[in-house]
């Protein structure tokens, strides 16, 4: 038994679960008597980490953050403060009450926390739900492709994402059971889960049970979680979605992006706005106008002097831009954090006009609104490591959008719009057009001959188009562990910037990038609470 290597019972994993319960218990009991539990030492290390992180670090973090005794790392400021230790006791009681403090994990034979008792106190169904703007009143219509996403492989097979968890699981064969385990419960309870994951994570959750159920696998590196799958199709499908984070897939929490996008897709589908994404902005502008709002464009703000006086200013800007605009008005600690804010890899975009559509070898890809091109999980992982290290892969990960399949009005006759982008290093100055075409040709021979027009957008042009996309980083920041959890700086209030009446709401803040608008909604709620 090593650190990572387990001593497994001598059974056929394909048929073992089909044996009678008595035979299974006897086989495992004999193995335990003769060889011990057989778990790798890594499991014991995880238990020690759980104690250090959940009890000690988590307790000190919460106690200091809510007591006004200084940050948790300033030990000298809170070491002799009784209130901190009183709250540590309450923290321990809370863990016991919700079940997180009980014996759970691989060694306990219970892989999930014993959180059932909290149901009495939580009273499911009484929690408030997110109120969403009814954009349908303003003419916005949504459409869905027949298939949400397909990830083709070199042998002609593919991982296929249906809106239905059951259909997706059926198509993944041997990995169907695991797919259901990962997604059935989060999807069924997504409206409650959404209430927590679309807000800052470092807060007391509104639905702790749902969040804990989702968070346990989400905390793992994507490269570790994919090992649980048996088929290349399932690994590639999961890896392609996890790659949306633009981060090495070996990093902690890198599975969270993939699990979050897949869960949301299974719940609501990967919809497109009929008439193009501009329709979303147009309808939101109409909502604002109905409430007396006014939109002014065409003016570049370079300093706070360029703005008129107002009670609240909410900035949809990259943190470095906020530091530049506010200058010395920012508290020094905030200014330092914003100036040190790190940006991730970039995107190189090519939009094609294609006669007759893309001739995918895999038939399912011809019905999918989104196609991920990256080959196997291993190939995707290598490519994401390369771009993070500043190297352009020979075969970069490419995302292909075929929204015209859901919204045929975007096409002109048999000429269809197909947009793509490749993951490239931040600030990449080369031309990735040929690499993108080669990736498509790899899975759709003859594509090049169908292209009747194209337009490109480099990393530099991305930054000119939207200054938040520094170096072509369309995520507005590297989604590494610290920035994913805290946002631009280590604080429990990521929308505050330290200047009264001023807030930050860009994709640099939780919950991060995506077509959800929740960064702005959360910042607006914070501003309204401060006004009251």
């Amino acid at each position: 038994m090593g650190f990572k290597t387990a001593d497994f019972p001598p059974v056929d994993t394909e048929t073992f679960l089909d044996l009678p319960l008595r035979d299974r218990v006897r086989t495992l009991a004999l193995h335990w008597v003769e060889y011990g539990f057989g778990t790798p030492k890594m499991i014991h290390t995880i238990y020690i980490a759980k104690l250090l992180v959940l009890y000690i670090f988590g307790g000190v973090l919460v106690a200091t953050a809510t007591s006004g005794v200084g940050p948790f790392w300033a030990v000298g400021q809170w070491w002799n403060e009784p209130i901190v230790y009183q709250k540590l006791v309450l923290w321990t009681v809370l863990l016991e009450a919700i079940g997180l403090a009980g014996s759970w994990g691989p060694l306990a034979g219970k892989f999930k926390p014993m959180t059932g008792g909290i149901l009495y106190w939580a009273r499911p169904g009484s929690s408030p739900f997110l109120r969403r703007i009814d954009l349908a009143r303003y003419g916005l219509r949504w459409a869905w492709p027949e298939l949400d996403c397909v990830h083709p492989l070199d042998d002609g097979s593919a991982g296929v994402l249906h809106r239905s968890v059951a259909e997706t699981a059926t198509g993944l064969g041997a990995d169907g059971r695991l797919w259901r385990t990962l997604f059935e419960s989060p999807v069924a309870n997504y409206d409650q889960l959404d209430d927590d994951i679309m807000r800052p994570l470092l807060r007391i959750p509104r639905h702790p049970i749902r969040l804990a159920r989702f968070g346990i696998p989400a905390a793992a590196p994507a490269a570790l979680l994919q090992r649980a799958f048996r088929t290349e199709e399932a690994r590639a499908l999961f890896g392609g979605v996890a790659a949306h984070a633009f981060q090495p897939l070996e990093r902690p929490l890198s599975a969270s992006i993939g699990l979050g996008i897949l869960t949301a897709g299974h719940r609501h589908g990967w919809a497109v706005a009929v008439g193009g994404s501009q329709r979303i902005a147009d309808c939101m502008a109409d909502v604002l106008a109905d409430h007396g709002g006014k939109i002014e464009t065409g003016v570049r703000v370079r300093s706070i002097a360029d703005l008129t006086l107002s009670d609240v200013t909410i900035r949809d800007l990259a943190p470095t831009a906020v530091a530049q605009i506010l200058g010395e008005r920012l508290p020094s600690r905030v200014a330092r954090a914003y100036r040190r804010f790190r940006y991730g890899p970039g995107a190189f975009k090519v939009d094609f006009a294609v006669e007759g559509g893309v001739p995918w070898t895999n038939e399912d890809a011809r019905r999918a609104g989104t196609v991920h091109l990256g080959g196997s999980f291993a190939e995707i992982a290598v490519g994401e490591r390369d771009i993070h290290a500043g190297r352009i892969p020979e075969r970069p990960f490419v995302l292909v959008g075929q929204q015209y399949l859901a919204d045929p009005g975007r096409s002109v006759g048999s000429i269809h719009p197909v947009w793509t982008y490749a993951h490239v290093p931040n600030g990449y100055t080369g031309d990735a057009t040929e690499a993108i075409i080669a990736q498509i040709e790899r899975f759709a021979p003859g594509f090049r001959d169908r292209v009747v027009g194209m337009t490109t957008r480099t990393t530099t042009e991305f930054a000119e188009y939207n200054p938040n996309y520094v170096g072509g980083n369309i995520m507005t920041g590297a989604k590494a562990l610290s920035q994913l959890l805290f946002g631009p700086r280590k604080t429990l209030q990521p929308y505050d910037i330290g200047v009264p009446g001023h807030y930050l709401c860009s994709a640099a803040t939780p919950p991060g990038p995506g077509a959800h608008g929740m960064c702005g909604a959360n910042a607006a709620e914070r501003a309204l609470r401060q006004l009251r």
Side-chain angles (χ1 to χ4, degrees), residues 69-339:
V69 294
F72 71 90
W73 58 83
V75 179
Q77 296 183 33
W78 56 261
W79 184 256
N80 292 320
E81 296 290 339
I83 185 65
V84 173
Y85 300 97
Q86 292 168 356
K87 290 190 175 183
L88 281 174
V89 173
L90 291 176
W91 176 254
T92 304
V93 172
L94 174 64
L95 294 180
E96 292 285 352
I98 66 177
L100 291 177
S103 177
W104 57 276
L107 291 181
K110 299 181 288 291
F111 285 79
K112 293 169 56 179
M114 296 177 291
T115 53
I118 192 63
L119 290 174
Y120 176 80
W121 306 102
R123 297 187 181 181
S126 63
S127 299
F129 59 90
L130 291 174
R131 294 177 174 85
R132 304 186 185 278
I133 300 174
D134 183 13
L135 294 179
R137 291 179 50 213
Y138 297 86
L140 183 64
R141 293 188 296 116
W142 299 101
W144 290 262
E146 187 177 350
L147 296 173
D148 284 333
C149 180
V150 168
H151 190 118
L153 296 172
D154 289 308
D155 62 0
S157 64
V160 180
L161 179 66
H162 299 262
R163 184 171 177 180
S164 163
V165 175
E167 286 186 68
T168 304
T170 299
L172 293 176
D175 284 318
R177 178 183 294 183
L178 178 57
W179 197 268
R180 288 189 177 93
T181 300
L182 286 172
F183 295 108
E184 276 186 342
S185 178
V187 170
N189 300 284
Y190 182 77
D191 292 341
Q192 291 182 342
L193 179 64
D194 188 48
D195 208 14
D196 284 317
I197 63 177
M198 286 299 180
R199 297 177 184 274
L201 293 178
L202 295 181
R203 52 188 288 278
I204 297 176
R206 299 179 179 182
H207 308 288
I209 303 168
R210 307 300 182 198
L211 188 61
R213 168 67 178 79
F214 175 80
I216 292 172
L224 178 63
L225 184 57
Q226 65 90 23
R227 293 182 184 178
F229 293 112
R230 303 180 192 178
T231 65
E232 287 298 326
E233 291 85 355
R235 290 171 180 163
L237 179 62
F238 170 69
V241 181
H244 280 240
F246 281 79
Q247 283 292 306
L249 300 181
E250 297 80 13
R251 289 191 170 181
L253 284 176
S254 57
S256 63
I257 301 295
L259 291 175
I261 295 175
L262 287 166
T263 301
H266 277 312
R267 175 64 179 87
H268 296 292
W270 291 7
V272 301
V274 174
S277 298
Q278 182 63 42
R279 287 291 302 143
I280 304 175
D282 291 342
C283 292
M284 292 184 70
D286 291 341
V287 174
L288 182 64
D290 278 358
H291 286 79
K294 180 182 178 182
I295 299 176
E296 295 184 11
T297 61
V299 178
R300 181 174 290 276
V301 177
R302 292 183 171 86
S303 74
I304 195 170
D306 296 329
L307 296 172
T308 57
L309 186 65
S310 61
D311 293 327
V312 172
T313 302
I314 303 179
R315 290 176 164 79
D316 184 4
L317 297 175
T320 47
V322 175
Q324 180 181 357
I325 290 172
L326 288 179
E328 295 182 355
R329 291 198 59 178
L330 275 181
S332 58
R333 68 184 187 282
V334 178
R336 283 195 303 271
Y338 283 6
R339 293 190 181 106

Side-chain angles (χ1 to χ4, degrees), residues 334-472:
V334 178
R336 283 195 303 271
Y338 283 6
R339 293 190 181 106
R340 293 173 181 172
F341 186 74
R342 292 175 292 115
Y343 294 92
F348 188 102
K349 192 170 188 292
V350 183
D351 296 333
F352 297 98
V354 184
E355 174 72 41
V358 183
W360 301 108
T361 300
N362 182 276
E363 290 293 330
D364 287 327
R366 302 186 182 196
R367 302 182 289 141
T370 301
V371 180
H372 289 159
L373 305 180
S376 66
F377 184 97
E379 183 180 328
I380 299 170
V382 169
E384 295 306 292
R385 285 199 302 270
D386 282 346
I387 62 170
H388 191 264
R391 301 184 296 268
I392 181 70
E394 180 181 354
R395 289 177 164 179
F397 178 77
V398 174
L399 188 147
V400 180
Q402 303 180 132
Q403 283 76 14
Y404 72 90
L405 292 174
D407 181 16
R410 302 187 183 196
S411 301
V412 179
S414 62
I415 307 298
H416 305 298
V418 176
W419 64 260
T420 70
Y421 67 79
H423 290 193
V424 298
N426 187 282
Y428 176 66
T429 57
D431 188 345
T433 304
E434 188 56 37
I436 291 175
I437 293 175
Q439 276 287 62
I440 300 176
E441 279 275 343
R442 175 183 173 187
F443 301 101
F447 166 76
R448 188 188 304 269
D449 297 332
R450 297 194 180 194
V451 175
V452 298
M454 72 176 75
T455 180
T456 63
R457 179 170 287 168
T458 66
T459 58
T460 302
E461 290 168 337
F462 259 120
E464 292 172 353
Y465 162 74
N466 185 339
N468 283 1
Y469 299 159
V470 177

